[in-house]
Amino acid sequence: MNRVRVRFAPSPTGFLHIGGLRTALYNYLYAKKNGGDFILRIEDTDRTRYVEGAIENLIHALDWSGVHVDEGVVLDENGNITEKGDCGPYIQSSRLDIYKKYVDELIEKGYAYYCFCSVERLEALREEQRIKGKVPKYDGLCRSVSIEEAKKRIAAGEEYVVRLKLPHDRNIRFHDLVRGDVVINSDEIDDQVLMKSDGFPTYHMAVVVDDHLMGITHIVRGEEWLSSTPKHVYLYEALGWDVPEFVHLPTVLNKDHKKLSKRQGDVSVEDFRGRGYLPEGLINYLALVGWSPDGEEEILSMDELIEQFSFEKVVKSGGVFDVDKLNWVNAHYMKSYDLDKIVELSIPFVVEKGLMTEEEIRANYDWYKKLVEIVRDGASKLDEIPDLISFMFGELKIEEESALEQIKLEHVPQLLDAFLEELEKVEEVDEEFAGSIMKTIQKKTGIKGKNLFMPVRVAISSTVHGPDLKSIIYLLGKEKLVERLNTAKKYTK
């Protein structure tokens, strides 16, 4: 068997879509499982959709996700676009002479022809076909134009495209590793444009040439290309090339079982990164959208995904992207991630929320690290950390109904006074004081259990829920505790 070579070939039209990342991921997992190569190729022949900076964004998104390129388009140490590998160029707009060579070969062999039909004629033809209830397709008017006549018309300056000349009434067959055997009759397919009037190839021409010349063994792409695959199979045959394996992946759907799109909210990798998802969490969950692991375990590292991955476990129907499930998976990584990494990754979110400046965080780093440590188990993603630590900042405001009920209990003033008396005895609140103060107050007042802990928690943090009380006491420090306890006394009246 030839060495497995797969490719991810996006168009540089903006940020990387989450569905595109899943396609890249499945390509990558299959390559790594089989000791093969994962290639990044850029398909930029549609110049009208090109977005400046999109290639750099694609590469950054893949690198952040842990989907690393073996060959193709990469960035150098200065962040400039470059290439590595022996099958380049890997950007289609740099390969125009290559495509022209094979288009000319197809014309000479009678597998393609020049078409001179105007845009106006084609639009009128499609409209007429629609009115008659037919599937809009080219009627083959220029199939009969000889090569000699066509070249004269071209020399005279007439605008043209090159179309694939499909045989009539022929069943074109191919095998798909997810969908099995597929058969489509050539009469159902259009004579596809292969070369546009601007000299750029269409996707259909370029993808076949590139995949062959780059030695691609498995074409793994979205199911939207399934109906075009017979044209590609026929092109391989016309050019005398072996046909690679095909894998058409199910679409990533929203909860309404419609294609995930910007209208429903965040859909780019950058969106999810910006909301504080960890790459391991996003990749782990995304792998499960359309594929099932061998056992019941759903928390899987990249290495475990590689070990278990196969196309036999990819479903035919669309995979629903469930944000709640994503949050559940990401929460696991929030808990298990290296604490120092979580602390560093959380800083931009806290700064953006205005709770602390980065300078303040750096100056009080150990304090901040402890604060993040006590709340991170309650966070499913990084952007939740500012809300979870916000109780430590600003003045005490008790607004929750359940918190107000606790602070107004009859015995609370006694508790608060006892706490303030103990604070007067120390110069600072250290971990020893924080660990013993509640037991001291219990002995002093005789109040224990929920009646002790809940009102104190409300008095210093404004809420009945939260992290370990001992840690809150230590992190607030003496001055802040005194201020909050005195403020809390106003709520008891």
Side-chain angles (χ1 to χ4, degrees):
M1 179 180 172
N2 292 334
R3 180 182 178 87
V4 167
R5 286 173 63 81
V6 298
R7 52 50 168 190
F8 178 53
S11 298
T13 57
F15 291 115
L16 178 58
H17 189 282
I18 202 73
L21 177 59
R22 192 196 61 173
T23 298
L25 174 62
Y26 283 8
N27 271 282
Y28 178 81
L29 295 177
Y30 188 75
K32 299 301 111 179
K33 171 77 175 282
N34 292 281
D37 302 314
F38 173 68
I39 298 156
L40 177 63
R41 186 172 74 223
I42 301 298
E43 300 191 342
D44 65 339
T45 55
D46 187 348
R47 304 305 292 173
T48 61
R49 299 176 64 218
Y50 179 82
V51 173
E52 196 69 41
I55 296 176
E56 292 89 339
N57 170 265
L58 285 163
I59 297 170
H60 284 310
L62 290 174
D63 281 343
W64 174 81
S65 303
V67 178
H68 301 301
V69 174
D70 297 311
E71 180 180 324
V73 184
V74 295
L75 300 178
D76 64 18
E77 62 273 13
N78 298 315
N80 299 314
I81 297 170
T82 186
E83 298 183 354
K84 66 175 180 178
D86 300 325
C87 298
Y90 295 92
I91 298 178
Q92 286 185 337
S93 57
S94 300
R95 298 171 60 84
L96 299 186
D97 288 345
I98 299 172
Y99 306 129
K100 186 176 187 310
K101 170 190 169 185
Y102 289 107
V103 167
D104 289 346
E105 181 181 323
L106 289 168
I107 291 170
E108 293 299 325
K109 289 181 176 179
Y111 290 110
Y113 61 95
Y114 297 103
C115 176
F116 300 91
C117 293
S118 66
V119 173
E120 292 75 18
R121 179 184 184 273
L122 294 174
E123 287 178 353
L125 174 64
R126 291 191 197 100
E127 182 60 27
E128 181 184 339
Q129 289 169 333
R130 273 193 290 267
I131 291 170
K132 293 179 178 178
K134 296 180 179 179
V135 176
K137 57 181 288 192
Y138 183 60
D139 60 0
L141 178 68
C142 292
R143 284 172 72 112
S144 59
V145 177
S146 68
I147 294 179
E148 293 74 19
E149 182 188 345
K151 288 183 176 179
K152 288 178 183 177
R153 293 171 70 172
I154 292 168
E158 200 167 338
E159 195 170 272
Y160 68 94
V161 299
V162 176
R163 290 182 181 273
L164 176 64
K165 185 184 285 187
L166 284 166
H168 289 301
D169 192 24
R170 175 178 156 188
N171 287 330
I172 300 176
R173 306 170 187 274
F174 63 94
H175 182 76
D176 186 284
L177 294 184
V178 170
R179 294 157 199 285
D181 293 326
V182 179
V183 182
I184 299 180
N185 191 276
S186 60
D187 286 352
E188 300 173 25
I189 312 169
D190 208 356
D191 275 3
Q192 183 67 52
V193 173
L194 301 179
M195 187 73 79
K196 295 176 285 186
S197 58
D198 60 4
F200 277 79
T202 59
Y203 168 83
H204 306 280
M205 183 65 198
V207 74
V208 169
V209 171
D210 290 347
D211 285 339
H212 172 72
L213 296 182
M214 294 180 187
I216 302 304
T217 59
H218 296 73
I219 296 172
V220 185
R221 58 191 178 191
E223 65 181 356
E224 65 270 21
W225 297 110
L226 185 65
S227 62
S228 297
T229 302
K231 304 171 190 176
H232 304 165
V233 170
Y234 185 69
L235 273 171
Y236 277 102
E237 178 185 317
L239 290 164
W241 296 338
D242 291 337
V243 181
E245 296 277 7
F246 289 101
V247 184
H248 289 92
L249 303 175
T251 303
V252 178
L253 306 173
N254 63 22
K255 62 183 179 180
D256 298 322
H257 291 260
K258 295 179 180 177
K259 187 174 181 179
L260 199 66
S261 71
K262 290 181 180 179
R263 288 188 295 276
Q264 285 90 34
D266 296 339
V267 295
S268 77
V269 176
E270 195 66 26
D271 290 332
F272 287 93
R273 184 178 182 180
R275 288 172 57 196
Y277 288 98
L278 300 173
E280 293 87 349
L282 184 60
I283 284 295
N284 185 162
Y285 173 68
L286 200 53
L288 304 176
V289 183
W291 170 81
S292 301
D294 294 333
E296 297 297 317
E297 182 57 57
E298 293 186 301
I299 301 299
L300 300 166
S301 68
M302 184 70 88
D303 286 342
E304 289 168 327
L305 290 171
I306 289 168
E307 184 182 346
Q308 292 198 37
F309 187 79
S310 72
F311 290 121
E312 286 74 22
K313 290 293 190 76
V314 174
V315 298
K316 294 180 184 179
S317 57
V320 175
F321 193 91
D322 182 345
V323 174
D324 292 335
K325 182 71 174 288
L326 167 62
N327 290 344
W328 177 81
V329 172
N330 202 71
H332 167 84
Y333 289 95
M334 288 291 293
K335 293 179 179 71
S336 62
Y337 229 57
D338 178 75
L339 176 60
D340 288 318
K341 285 185 180 179
I342 289 290
V343 170
E344 287 297 323
L345 291 169
S346 70
I347 290 173
F349 295 93
V350 172
V351 171
E352 184 182 0
K353 203 68 178 275
L355 297 178
M356 299 177 77
T357 65
E358 183 164 355
E359 291 74 19
E360 289 169 336
I361 291 173
R362 299 295 174 194
N364 301 277
Y365 192 80
D366 290 341
W367 179 88
Y368 179 74
K369 180 177 177 179
K370 178 71 174 175
L371 179 56
V372 172
E373 182 181 17
I374 68 172
V375 302
R376 72 160 170 173
D377 282 2
S380 63
K381 53 190 193 299
L382 291 165
D383 71 350
E384 295 173 3
I385 286 180
D387 287 338
L388 291 171
I389 68 172
S390 62
F391 73 90
M392 294 291 294
F393 302 90
E395 295 181 2
L396 183 78
K397 291 182 181 179
I398 305 174
E399 297 172 331
E400 295 174 7
E401 188 175 334
S402 56
L404 288 167
E405 288 175 5
Q406 288 293 325
I407 205 69
K408 291 184 180 297
L409 292 173
E410 187 177 350
H411 66 279
V412 171
Q414 182 187 1
L415 277 181
L416 303 184
D417 286 337
F419 201 149
L420 285 165
E421 287 170 11
E422 293 303 313
L423 283 169
E424 288 176 7
K425 298 176 184 179
V426 296
E427 287 190 17
E428 64 176 30
V429 171
D430 56 18
E431 291 194 40
E432 183 182 352
F433 177 90
S436 63
I437 181 62
M438 296 307 292
K439 194 171 285 186
T440 301
I441 296 173
Q442 179 182 329
K443 287 180 180 178
K444 194 170 187 177
T445 63
I447 302 166
K448 57 186 177 180
K450 181 182 176 182
N451 286 333
L452 169 65
F453 289 95
M454 292 291 271
V456 170
R457 178 181 288 280
V458 171
I460 64 174
S461 70
S462 79
T463 181
V464 295
H465 303 293
D468 173 52
L469 190 57
K470 176 178 68 176
S471 298
I472 296 175
I473 292 169
Y474 170 68
L475 289 169
L476 279 171
K478 178 178 178 178
E479 184 180 337
K480 198 76 172 176
L481 284 167
V482 170
E483 177 190 314
R484 290 197 169 187
L485 289 167
N486 282 319
T487 301
K489 289 173 74 171
K490 299 173 184 177
Y491 284 93
T492 64
K493 300 170 183 175

